């Protein structure tokens, strides 16, 4: 027997991020839009939301999110009257969106829910509605139930994890990755490949995760080098975006292995991105 959990809805395809506003309109009236340091990369998403009558409030995350970032984002969302989260960015941005969405509907501090260094409590309420829109092909965070947060006071990175944190909609548009630099394409692509490989050899694997992971490996093997060498190749970008979501689906339901375990212990002491270490 096995169970399989993922985002409430997965929408995949070139150009689908244009539907962000229509999807958000079914979830709420005002969205906290979480982005990386360059909000202009999400300008079309802001416009899509506003065209559908959704009020927006912007919140930027610079690098991997910290506990303090989540406290600040939650404060902004509550004071601004937001009822929905839309995250547009890489895995760190989407993790921040998941954590803020969780704290919007639950009392307390991130440390009340964080594993290892916190209390590890379960959420009392499901996270606020959340549309996750990835701009890299690597982490698969748009279909997983955890958010990795840095805790500088403990020199650790730990997860806030709960089934209620799965995004409401994973909106995966490969065209958003066309301008990824080669280094990001390579690092994130190898992370996606690793996250398809580790679940296959996991003791928690099942026939469904195996099938998904194998397809992700096939796509990554076919297109990672091409996406790196010719970033404008839409077919290669579609393959890598699909491999990334396959890795997220597989790891969320079959877990990972030694590579990510090693990275988790090493990263807090190194100025290296997780994508590179994995």
């Amino acid at each position: 027997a096995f169970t399989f959990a993922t985002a409430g809805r997965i929408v995949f395809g070139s150009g689908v991020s244009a539907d962000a506003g229509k999807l958000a309109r079914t979830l709420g009236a005002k969205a906290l839009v979480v982005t990386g340091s360059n909000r202009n990369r999400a300008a079309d998403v802001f416009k899509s939301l506003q065209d559908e009558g959704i009020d927006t409030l912007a919140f930027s995350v610079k690098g991997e999110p910290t506990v303090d970032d989540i406290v600040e984002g939650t404060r902004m969302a509550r004071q601004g009257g937001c009822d929905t989260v839309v995250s547009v960015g890489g895995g760190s941005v989407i993790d921040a969106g998941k954590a803020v969405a969780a704290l919007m509907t639950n009392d307390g501090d991130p440390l009340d829910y964080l594993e290892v260094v916190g209390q590890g409590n379960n959420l009392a309420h499901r996270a606020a509605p959340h549309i996750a829109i990835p701009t890299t092909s690597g982490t698969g965070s748009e279909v997983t139930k955890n958010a990795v947060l840095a805790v500088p006071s403990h020199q650790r990175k730990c997860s806030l994890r709960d089934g209620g944190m799965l995004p409401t909609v994973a909106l995966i548009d490969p065209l958003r990755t066309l301008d990824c630099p080669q280094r990001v394409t390579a690092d994130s692509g190898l992370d996606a490949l690793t996250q398809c490989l580790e679940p296959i050899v996991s003791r928690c694997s099942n026939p469904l995760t195996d099938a998904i992971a194998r397809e992700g490996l096939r796509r990554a093997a076919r297109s990672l080098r091409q996406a790196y060498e010719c970033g404008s190749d839409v077919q290669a970008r579609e393959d890598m975006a699909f491999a990334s979501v396959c890795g997220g689906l597989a790891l969320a339901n079959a877990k990972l292995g030694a590579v990510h375990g090693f990275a988790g212990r090493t990263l807090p002491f190194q100025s290296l991105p997780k994508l590179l270490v994995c």
Side-chain angles (χ1 to χ4, degrees), residues 136-261:
T136 61
S137 296
T139 67
S141 181
E142 65 275 10
V143 292
T144 65
K145 64 181 180 181
N146 69 300
V148 178
L149 307 181
V151 190
S153 60
H154 288 77
Q155 286 192 302
R156 294 292 298 268
K157 294 181 182 179
C158 303
S159 282
L160 198 167
R161 188 189 315 268
D162 192 279
M165 289 174 58
L166 283 161
T168 314
V169 180
L171 191 58
I172 305 156
D173 184 349
L175 298 184
R176 303 200 75 87
T177 68
L178 289 175
D179 61 352
C180 277
Q182 282 190 313
R183 181 60 179 269
V184 175
T185 297
D187 291 349
S188 59
L190 287 169
D191 191 34
L193 189 153
T194 303
Q195 291 181 166
C196 289
L197 177 60
E198 287 188 288
I200 289 178
V201 297
S202 167
R203 290 181 296 178
C204 300
S205 65
N206 61 65
L208 183 54
T209 59
D210 282 353
I212 290 169
R214 286 194 178 98
E215 179 62 16
L217 283 173
R218 189 179 71 83
R219 301 277 188 126
R222 179 173 73 187
S223 294
L224 176 53
R225 182 181 292 275
Q226 179 64 11
Y228 174 79
E229 293 179 347
C230 183
S232 61
D233 187 322
V234 174
Q235 181 59 58
R237 292 296 192 179
E238 288 181 348
D239 273 352
M240 291 311 301
F242 195 81
S244 179
V245 74
C246 284
L249 292 168
L251 75 88
N253 292 280
K255 301 186 179 180
L256 292 167
V259 172
H260 278 77

Side-chain angles (χ1 to χ4, degrees), residues 65-75 78 95-96 98-104 106-123 147-151 158-161 165:
T66 66
V67 168
D68 288 345
D69 288 332
I70 303 311
V71 170
E72 175 61 15
T74 303
R75 182 195 66 77
R78 287 176 174 168
D95 276 4
K98 287 190 285 189
V100 169
L103 270 293
M104 283 169 61
N106 289 274
D107 295 331
D109 180 272
L111 286 172
D112 293 333
Y113 305 99
L114 269 180
E115 299 173 347
V116 184
V117 300
Q119 298 299 312
N121 294 327
N122 294 326
L123 298 181
V148 178
L149 307 181
V151 190
C158 303
S159 282
L160 198 167
R161 188 189 315 268
M165 289 174 58

